[in-house]
Amino acid sequence: KQEVTQIPAALSVPEGENLVLNCSFTDSAIYNLQWFRQDPGKGLTSLLLIQSSQREQTSGRLNASLDKSSGRSTLYIAASQPGDSATYLCAVRDGNNRLAFGKGNQVVVIP
Amino acid sequence: ETGVTQTPRHLVMGMTNKKSLKCEQHLGHNAMYWYKQSAKKPLELMFVYSLEERVENNSVPSRFSPECPNSSHLFLHLHTLQPEDSALYLCASSQIGQAGYGYTFGSGTRLTVV
């Protein structure tokens, strides 16, 4: 069974600092990996999707890397802003089209 | 309407009530899902409908009953729920067989059982 771990569980950073969020997974036979953002009481918003054959994806201030062989992904958020405060979820999709989620990184950006 | 739409956004129900959650996807995807999100726990997959086949998590109680009348609509019928069923219920859709496509989630229904 795929296990997904996200470290740290929670972090606070001053505005302007770069954010580094880590995700690890136990089974490297993944189809793709997706990073989501969730605001309190809301649904999930997809940020980036990395296919298993890719090493990274970028969108604006966000960059996600994937090292499938070591079972790791990292989400970088450059020059953090208070509006980046949210929970970030990592999810890996297997060949059976199932998503396994981590518990999330809860981020607070302090103005 | 675009994406995945869920109604209602909030629902309060007694333990003897029967209610239904509705989900509609406007993306032409061929699979739809129900997830449960409880505090301090990872998202839990409840049901999958893909290519008209239903797959379920065997740990989901029978008081939750899904229905998928077509590829765009998904319902979750609720009856005789327990207080511990209070959670955020999320619907999602995806395109099976396409590695470049991810999951798209709705905004969720916040369910409170009293």
Side-chain angles (χ1 to χ4, degrees):
Chain A
K1 179 185 174 185
Q2 179 77 268
E3 300 285 342
V4 180
T5 303
Q6 292 187 244
I7 296 172
L11 72 160
S12 296
V13 298
E15 182 178 359
E17 269 198 17
N18 297 331
L19 279 164
V20 180
L21 307 178
N22 296 300
C23 171
S24 62
F25 46 94
T26 54
D27 186 347
S28 62
I30 66 170
Y31 202 54
N32 61 36
L33 182 146
Q34 203 166 354
W35 281 94
F36 294 91
R37 169 184 171 139
Q38 186 175 31
D39 293 296
K42 307 287 187 179
L44 277 62
T45 299
S46 181
L47 298 174
L48 290 167
L49 179 143
I50 311 176
Q51 298 182 48
S52 60
S53 59
Q54 297 175 326
R55 298 283 293 184
E56 67 176 350
Q57 281 288 331
T58 299
S59 176
R61 294 185 293 113
L62 277 60
N63 174 277
S65 65
L66 174 64
D67 184 343
K68 197 172 69 164
S69 60
S70 66
R72 294 178 185 175
S73 176
T74 302
L75 178 66
Y76 299 87
I77 302 177
S80 61
Q81 303 169 358
D84 295 328
S85 298
T87 297
Y88 293 84
L89 293 161
C90 169
V92 294
R93 181 170 167 182
D94 63 21
N96 292 318
N97 199 43
R98 301 291 183 264
L99 272 190
F101 282 88
K103 291 185 179 180
N105 306 106
Q106 188 175 4
V107 172
V108 175
V109 179
I110 304 165
Chain B
E1 290 274 12
T2 58
V4 178
T5 304
Q6 288 187 245
T7 54
R9 292 296 307 275
H10 301 275
L11 178 63
V12 179
M13 60 186 289
M15 289 189 285
T16 59
N17 291 158
K18 290 185 180 180
K19 296 286 184 183
S20 297
L21 309 184
K22 179 182 176 182
C23 176
E24 184 174 0
Q25 61 102 356
H26 310 272
L27 301 166
H29 287 168
N30 59 12
M32 296 186 75
Y33 313 82
W34 281 115
Y35 281 86
K36 176 183 179 182
Q37 187 176 37
S38 303
K40 308 298 183 184
K41 292 184 180 180
L43 272 80
E44 174 190 354
L45 178 64
M46 300 178 71
F47 299 103
V48 180
Y49 276 88
S50 61
L51 303 173
E52 302 182 355
E53 177 188 5
R54 180 175 113 180
V55 178
E56 55 195 88
N57 181 339
N58 291 330
S59 67
V60 177
S62 60
R63 55 187 183 267
F64 295 91
S65 174
E67 178 189 1
C68 188
N70 55 59
S71 60
S72 299
H73 294 85
L74 184 65
F75 296 89
L76 187 63
H77 303 301
L78 317 171
H79 64 98
T80 60
L81 294 190
Q82 303 298 311
E84 61 265 28
D85 297 322
S86 298
L88 182 68
Y89 289 84
L90 292 163
C91 174
S93 69
S94 74
Q95 186 68 13
I96 292 180
Q98 301 284 339
Y101 288 84
Y103 279 46
T104 301
F105 281 80
S107 298
T109 295
R110 171 66 64 183
L111 174 67
T112 303
V113 181
V114 297

